Coordinates of all heavy atoms in Angstrom, one line a residue:
D2 N -18.7 40.4 -16.7 CA -17.7 39.4 -16.3 C -17.4 38.4 -17.4 O -18.3 38.1 -18.2 CB -18.1 38.7 -15.0 CG -18.1 39.6 -13.8 OD1 -17.6 40.7 -13.9 OD2 -18.7 39.3 -12.8
L3 N -16.2 37.9 -17.4 CA -15.8 36.9 -18.4 C -15.9 35.5 -17.8 O -15.5 35.3 -16.7 CB -14.3 37.2 -18.8 CG -14.1 38.6 -19.3 CD1 -12.6 38.7 -19.6 CD2 -14.9 38.8 -20.6
D4 N -16.5 34.6 -18.6 CA -16.7 33.2 -18.1 C -15.3 32.5 -18.0 O -15.0 31.9 -17.0 CB -17.6 32.5 -19.1 CG -19.0 33.0 -19.0 OD1 -19.4 33.5 -18.0 OD2 -19.7 32.9 -20.1
R5 N -14.6 32.5 -19.1 CA -13.3 31.8 -19.1 C -12.2 32.7 -19.7 O -11.9 32.6 -20.9 CB -13.4 30.5 -19.9 CG -14.1 29.4 -19.2 CD -13.9 28.1 -20.0 NE -15.2 27.6 -20.3 CZ -15.4 26.6 -21.2 NH1 -14.4 26.2 -21.9 NH2 -16.6 26.1 -21.3
P6 N -11.7 33.6 -18.9 CA -10.7 34.5 -19.5 C -9.4 33.8 -19.9 O -8.9 32.9 -19.2 CB -10.4 35.5 -18.3 CG -10.7 34.7 -17.1 CD -11.8 33.8 -17.5
R7 N -8.9 34.2 -21.0 CA -7.6 33.7 -21.4 C -6.5 34.6 -20.8 O -6.6 35.8 -20.9 CB -7.4 33.6 -22.9 CG -8.4 32.7 -23.6 CD -8.1 32.6 -25.0 NE -9.2 32.0 -25.7 CZ -9.5 32.1 -27.0 NH1 -8.7 32.9 -27.7 NH2 -10.5 31.5 -27.5
P8 N -5.5 34.0 -20.2 CA -4.4 34.9 -19.7 C -3.7 35.7 -20.8 O -3.5 35.2 -21.9 CB -3.4 33.9 -19.1 CG -4.2 32.6 -18.9 CD -5.2 32.6 -20.0
I9 N -3.4 36.9 -20.5 CA -2.6 37.8 -21.4 C -1.2 37.6 -21.0 O -0.7 37.8 -19.9 CB -3.1 39.2 -21.2 CG1 -4.5 39.4 -21.5 CG2 -2.2 40.2 -22.0 CD1 -5.1 40.8 -21.1
Q10 N -0.4 37.2 -22.0 CA 1.1 37.0 -21.9 C 1.7 38.4 -22.0 O 1.5 39.1 -23.0 CB 1.6 36.0 -22.9 CG 0.9 34.7 -22.9 CD 1.0 33.9 -21.6 OE1 2.1 33.9 -21.0 NE2 -0.1 33.3 -21.2
I11 N 2.5 38.7 -21.0 CA 3.2 40.1 -21.0 C 4.7 39.9 -21.2 O 5.3 39.2 -20.4 CB 2.8 40.8 -19.7 CG1 1.3 41.0 -19.6 CG2 3.5 42.2 -19.7 CD1 0.9 41.3 -18.2
S12 N 5.2 40.5 -22.2 CA 6.7 40.5 -22.4 C 7.2 41.8 -22.8 O 6.5 42.7 -23.3 CB 7.1 39.4 -23.4 OG 6.6 39.8 -24.7
L13 N 8.5 42.0 -22.6 CA 9.1 43.3 -22.9 C 10.5 43.0 -23.5 O 11.3 42.2 -22.9 CB 9.3 44.2 -21.6 CG 10.0 45.5 -21.8 CD1 9.2 46.4 -22.6 CD2 10.3 46.1 -20.4
T14 N 10.8 43.5 -24.7 CA 12.1 43.4 -25.3 C 12.9 44.7 -25.1 O 12.4 45.7 -25.4 CB 11.9 43.0 -26.8 OG1 11.2 41.8 -26.9 CG2 13.3 42.9 -27.4
V15 N 14.1 44.5 -24.6 CA 14.9 45.7 -24.4 C 16.2 45.5 -25.3 O 16.6 44.4 -25.5 CB 15.4 45.9 -22.9 CG1 14.1 46.2 -22.0 CG2 16.1 44.7 -22.4
E16 N 16.7 46.7 -25.7 CA 17.9 46.6 -26.6 C 18.8 47.7 -26.1 O 18.4 48.9 -26.0 CB 17.5 46.9 -28.0 CG 18.6 46.8 -29.0 CD 18.2 46.8 -30.4 OE1 17.0 46.5 -30.7 OE2 19.0 47.2 -31.3
N17 N 20.0 47.4 -25.8 CA 21.0 48.3 -25.4 C 21.7 48.9 -26.6 O 22.6 48.2 -27.2 CB 22.0 47.7 -24.5 CG 23.0 48.6 -23.9 OD1 23.1 49.8 -24.3 ND2 23.8 48.2 -22.9
N18 N 21.4 50.1 -27.0 CA 22.0 50.8 -28.1 C 23.2 51.6 -27.7 O 23.8 52.3 -28.6 CB 21.0 51.6 -28.9 CG 19.9 50.8 -29.5 OD1 20.2 49.8 -30.1 ND2 18.7 51.3 -29.5
G19 N 23.5 51.6 -26.5 CA 24.6 52.4 -26.0 C 26.0 51.7 -26.1 O 26.1 50.6 -26.8
N20 N 26.9 52.2 -25.4 CA 28.2 51.5 -25.4 C 28.7 51.1 -24.0 O 29.9 50.8 -23.8 CB 29.3 52.4 -26.0 CG 29.3 53.8 -25.4 OD1 28.7 54.0 -24.3 ND2 30.0 54.7 -26.0
V21 N 27.7 51.1 -23.0 CA 28.0 50.7 -21.6 C 27.0 49.7 -21.2 O 25.8 49.9 -21.3 CB 28.0 51.9 -20.7 CG1 28.2 51.5 -19.3 CG2 29.0 53.0 -21.2
P22 N 27.4 48.5 -20.6 CA 26.5 47.6 -20.1 C 25.7 48.2 -18.9 O 26.3 48.9 -18.1 CB 27.3 46.4 -19.7 CG 28.7 46.7 -20.1 CD 28.8 48.1 -20.5
A23 N 24.5 47.9 -18.8 CA 23.7 48.5 -17.7 C 22.5 47.6 -17.4 O 21.9 46.9 -18.2 CB 23.2 49.9 -18.0
E24 N 22.2 47.5 -16.1 CA 20.9 46.9 -15.6 C 20.0 48.0 -15.2 O 20.3 48.9 -14.4 CB 21.2 45.9 -14.5 CG 20.0 45.1 -14.0 CD 20.3 44.1 -13.0 OE1 20.3 44.4 -11.8 OE2 20.6 42.9 -13.4
L25 N 18.7 47.9 -15.7 CA 17.8 49.0 -15.5 C 16.5 48.4 -14.9 O 16.2 47.2 -15.1 CB 17.5 49.7 -16.8 CG 18.7 50.2 -17.5 CD1 18.2 50.8 -18.9 CD2 19.4 51.3 -16.7
L26 N 15.7 49.2 -14.3 CA 14.4 48.8 -13.7 C 13.3 49.0 -14.8 O 13.1 50.1 -15.3 CB 14.1 49.6 -12.5 CG 12.8 49.3 -11.8 CD1 12.8 47.8 -11.3 CD2 12.5 50.2 -10.7
A27 N 12.6 47.9 -15.1 CA 11.5 48.0 -16.0 C 10.2 47.8 -15.2 O 10.1 47.0 -14.3 CB 11.6 46.9 -17.1
T28 N 9.2 48.7 -15.5 CA 7.9 48.6 -14.8 C 6.8 48.5 -15.8 O 6.8 49.2 -16.8 CB 7.7 49.9 -13.9 OG1 8.8 50.0 -13.0 CG2 6.4 49.8 -13.2
V29 N 5.9 47.5 -15.6 CA 4.8 47.3 -16.5 C 3.5 47.5 -15.7 O 3.4 46.9 -14.7 CB 4.8 46.0 -17.2 CG1 3.5 45.8 -18.0 CG2 6.0 45.8 -18.1
V30 N 2.7 48.4 -16.2 CA 1.4 48.7 -15.5 C 0.3 48.5 -16.5 O 0.4 49.0 -17.7 CB 1.4 50.2 -15.0 CG1 0.1 50.5 -14.4 CG2 2.5 50.4 -14.0
G31 N -0.8 47.9 -16.0 CA -2.0 47.7 -16.8 C -3.2 48.5 -16.2 O -3.4 48.3 -15.0
I32 N -3.9 49.3 -16.9 CA -5.1 50.0 -16.4 C -6.3 49.6 -17.3 O -6.2 49.7 -18.5 CB -4.8 51.6 -16.6 CG1 -3.5 52.0 -15.9 CG2 -6.0 52.3 -16.1 CD1 -3.5 52.0 -14.4
Q33 N -7.4 49.3 -16.6 CA -8.6 48.9 -17.3 C -9.8 49.7 -16.6 O -9.9 49.6 -15.3 CB -8.9 47.4 -17.2 CG -10.1 47.0 -18.1 CD -10.3 45.5 -18.0 OE1 -10.1 44.9 -17.0 NE2 -10.7 45.0 -19.1
H34 N -10.6 50.4 -17.3 CA -11.7 51.2 -16.8 C -11.2 52.2 -15.8 O -11.8 52.4 -14.7 CB -12.7 50.3 -16.2 CG -13.3 49.3 -17.2 ND1 -14.2 49.8 -18.2 CD2 -13.2 48.0 -17.3 CE1 -14.5 48.7 -18.9 NE2 -14.0 47.6 -18.4
G35 N -9.9 52.7 -16.0 CA -9.4 53.7 -15.0 C -8.8 53.1 -13.8 O -8.4 53.9 -12.9
V36 N -8.8 51.8 -13.6 CA -8.3 51.2 -12.4 C -7.1 50.3 -12.7 O -7.1 49.6 -13.6 CB -9.4 50.2 -11.8 CG1 -9.0 49.5 -10.6 CG2 -10.7 51.0 -11.6
P37 N -6.0 50.5 -11.9 CA -4.8 49.6 -12.1 C -5.2 48.1 -11.8 O -5.8 47.8 -10.8 CB -3.9 50.1 -11.0 CG -4.4 51.4 -10.6 CD -5.8 51.4 -10.8
V38 N -4.9 47.3 -12.8 CA -5.2 45.9 -12.7 C -3.9 45.0 -12.7 O -4.0 43.8 -12.5 CB -6.1 45.4 -13.8 CG1 -7.5 46.1 -13.7 CG2 -5.6 45.7 -15.2
Y39 N -2.8 45.6 -13.0 CA -1.5 44.9 -13.1 C -0.4 45.8 -12.8 O -0.4 47.0 -13.3 CB -1.4 44.3 -14.6 CG -0.1 43.5 -14.7 CD1 -0.2 42.1 -14.5 CD2 1.1 44.0 -15.1 CE1 1.0 41.3 -14.7 CE2 2.2 43.3 -15.3 CZ 2.2 41.9 -15.0 OH 3.3 41.1 -15.2
Y40 N 0.6 45.3 -12.1 CA 1.8 46.1 -11.8 C 2.9 45.1 -11.5 O 2.8 44.2 -10.7 CB 1.6 47.0 -10.6 CG 2.8 47.8 -10.2 CD1 3.0 49.1 -10.7 CD2 3.9 47.3 -9.4 CE1 4.1 49.9 -10.4 CE2 5.0 48.1 -9.1 CZ 5.1 49.3 -9.6 OH 6.2 50.1 -9.3
E41 N 4.0 45.2 -12.3 CA 5.2 44.4 -12.0 C 6.5 45.1 -12.4 O 6.5 45.8 -13.4 CB 5.1 43.1 -12.7 CG 6.2 42.1 -12.3 CD 6.1 40.7 -12.9 OE1 5.0 40.4 -13.5 OE2 7.1 39.9 -12.8
E42 N 7.5 45.0 -11.5 CA 8.8 45.5 -11.8 C 9.8 44.4 -12.0 O 9.6 43.3 -11.4 CB 9.3 46.4 -10.6 CG 8.5 47.6 -10.4 CD 9.0 48.4 -9.2 OE1 9.6 47.8 -8.3 OE2 8.8 49.6 -9.2
M43 N 10.8 44.7 -12.8 CA 11.8 43.7 -13.0 C 13.1 44.4 -13.5 O 13.1 45.3 -14.2 CB 11.4 42.7 -14.1 CG 12.3 41.6 -14.5 SD 11.8 40.6 -15.9 CE 10.2 39.9 -15.3
D44 N 14.3 43.9 -13.0 CA 15.5 44.4 -13.4 C 15.8 43.7 -14.8 O 15.7 42.5 -14.9 CB 16.7 44.0 -12.5 CG 16.6 44.8 -11.2 OD1 16.2 46.0 -11.3 OD2 16.9 44.3 -10.1
V45 N 16.2 44.5 -15.8 CA 16.5 44.0 -17.1 C 17.8 44.5 -17.6 O 18.3 45.6 -17.2 CB 15.3 44.4 -18.1 CG1 14.0 43.8 -17.7 CG2 15.2 45.9 -18.2
S46 N 18.4 43.8 -18.6 CA 19.6 44.3 -19.2 C 19.7 43.6 -20.6 O 18.9 42.7 -20.9 CB 20.8 43.9 -18.4 OG 20.9 42.5 -18.3
D47 N 20.6 44.1 -21.4 CA 20.8 43.5 -22.7 C 22.3 43.7 -23.0 O 22.9 44.8 -22.9 CB 20.0 44.2 -23.8 CG 20.2 43.7 -25.2 OD1 20.1 42.4 -25.3 OD2 20.6 44.5 -26.1
A48 N 23.0 42.6 -23.4 CA 24.4 42.7 -23.7 C 24.6 43.6 -24.9 O 23.8 43.7 -25.9 CB 24.9 41.3 -24.0
L49 N 25.7 44.3 -24.9 CA 26.1 45.2 -26.0 C 26.1 44.4 -27.3 O 26.7 43.3 -27.4 CB 27.4 45.9 -25.8 CG 27.5 46.8 -24.6 CD1 28.9 47.3 -24.3 CD2 26.5 48.0 -24.8
G50 N 25.5 44.9 -28.4 CA 25.5 44.3 -29.7 C 24.6 43.0 -29.8 O 24.7 42.3 -30.7
N51 N 23.8 42.8 -28.7 CA 23.0 41.5 -28.7 C 21.8 41.6 -29.6 O 21.3 40.6 -30.0 CB 22.6 41.3 -27.3 CG 22.0 39.9 -27.1 OD1 22.4 38.9 -27.7 ND2 20.9 39.9 -26.3
G52 N 21.3 42.8 -29.9 CA 20.1 42.9 -30.7 C 18.8 42.8 -30.0 O 17.8 42.9 -30.6
G53 N 18.9 42.7 -28.7 CA 17.6 42.7 -27.9 C 17.5 41.4 -27.0 O 17.8 40.3 -27.4
T54 N 16.9 41.6 -25.8 CA 16.7 40.5 -24.9 C 15.2 40.7 -24.5 O 14.8 41.8 -24.1 CB 17.6 40.6 -23.7 OG1 18.9 40.5 -24.1 CG2 17.3 39.5 -22.7
T55 N 14.5 39.6 -24.6 CA 13.0 39.6 -24.2 C 12.8 39.0 -22.8 O 13.4 38.0 -22.5 CB 12.2 38.8 -25.2 OG1 12.4 39.4 -26.5 CG2 10.7 38.8 -24.9
Y56 N 12.1 39.7 -22.0 CA 11.7 39.3 -20.6 C 10.3 39.0 -20.5 O 9.4 39.8 -21.0 CB 12.1 40.4 -19.6 CG 13.6 40.6 -19.5 CD1 14.3 41.4 -20.4 CD2 14.3 39.9 -18.6 CE1 15.6 41.6 -20.3 CE2 15.7 40.0 -18.5 CZ 16.3 40.9 -19.3 OH 17.7 41.0 -19.2
A57 N 9.9 37.9 -19.9 CA 8.5 37.5 -19.7 C 8.1 37.9 -18.3 O 8.8 37.6 -17.3 CB 8.4 36.0 -19.8
F58 N 7.1 38.7 -18.2 CA 6.5 39.1 -17.0 C 5.3 38.2 -16.6 O 4.9 37.4 -17.5 CB 5.9 40.6 -17.1 CG 7.0 41.6 -17.1 CD1 7.8 41.8 -18.2 CD2 7.2 42.4 -16.0 CE1 8.8 42.8 -18.3 CE2 8.2 43.4 -16.0 CZ 9.0 43.6 -17.1
G59 N 4.8 38.3 -15.4 CA 3.7 37.4 -15.0 C 2.5 37.7 -15.9 O 2.3 38.8 -16.3
E60 N 1.7 36.7 -16.2 CA 0.6 36.9 -17.0 C -0.6 37.5 -16.3 O -0.6 37.5 -15.0 CB 0.1 35.5 -17.7 CG -0.3 34.5 -16.7 CD -0.5 33.1 -17.3 OE1 0.1 32.8 -18.4 OE2 -1.3 32.4 -16.7
Y61 N -1.5 38.0 -17.0 CA -2.7 38.7 -16.4 C -4.0 38.0 -17.0 O -4.1 37.9 -18.2 CB -2.7 40.2 -16.6 CG -4.0 40.9 -16.3 CD1 -4.4 40.9 -14.9 CD2 -4.8 41.4 -17.2 CE1 -5.6 41.5 -14.6 CE2 -6.0 42.0 -16.9 CZ -6.4 42.1 -15.6 OH -7.6 42.7 -15.2
S62 N -4.9 37.6 -16.1 CA -6.2 37.1 -16.6 C -7.3 38.1 -16.3 O -7.6 38.4 -15.2 CB -6.5 35.8 -15.8 OG -5.6 34.8 -16.1
P63 N -7.8 38.7 -17.4 CA -8.8 39.8 -17.2 C -10.1 39.2 -16.6 O -10.4 38.0 -16.9 CB -9.0 40.3 -18.6 CG -8.6 39.2 -19.5 CD -7.5 38.5 -18.8
T64 N -10.8 40.0 -15.8 CA -12.1 39.6 -15.3 C -13.3 40.3 -15.9 O -14.4 40.0 -15.6 CB -12.1 39.8 -13.7 OG1 -11.8 41.2 -13.5 CG2 -11.0 39.0 -13.1
R65 N -13.0 41.3 -16.7 CA -14.0 42.1 -17.3 C -13.6 42.4 -18.8 O -12.4 42.5 -19.1 CB -14.2 43.5 -16.6 CG -14.6 43.3 -15.2 CD -14.6 44.7 -14.4 NE -15.5 45.7 -15.1 CZ -15.5 46.9 -14.7 NH1 -14.8 47.4 -13.7 NH2 -16.3 47.8 -15.4
A66 N -14.6 42.7 -19.6 CA -14.4 43.1 -21.0 C -14.0 44.6 -20.9 O -14.3 45.3 -19.9 CB -15.6 42.9 -21.8
G67 N -13.3 45.1 -21.9 CA -12.8 46.4 -22.0 C -11.3 46.5 -22.2 O -10.6 45.6 -21.9
D68 N -10.9 47.6 -22.8 CA -9.5 47.8 -23.1 C -8.6 47.9 -21.9 O -9.0 48.5 -20.9 CB -9.3 49.1 -23.9 CG -10.0 49.0 -25.3 OD1 -10.5 48.0 -25.7 OD2 -10.0 50.1 -26.0

Side-chain angles (χ1 to χ4, degrees):
D2 289 346
L3 302 177
D4 292 331
R5 286 192 232 162
R7 292 185 198 161
I9 297 169
Q10 306 297 320
I11 301 163
S12 64
L13 177 67
T14 301
V15 296
E16 185 173 336
N17 185 350
N18 292 322
N20 54 12
V21 177
E24 183 172 89
L25 306 173
L26 180 65
T28 304
V29 175
V30 177
I32 306 288
Q33 186 180 37
H34 301 289
V36 177
V38 295
Y39 183 91
Y40 181 94
E41 187 172 350
E42 293 180 334
M43 181 184 301
D44 289 325
V45 298
S46 63
D47 179 54
L49 296 174
N51 188 41
T54 302
T55 300
Y56 291 87
F58 284 73
E60 60 187 29
Y61 169 67
S62 294
T64 58
R65 298 172 56 188
D68 295 353

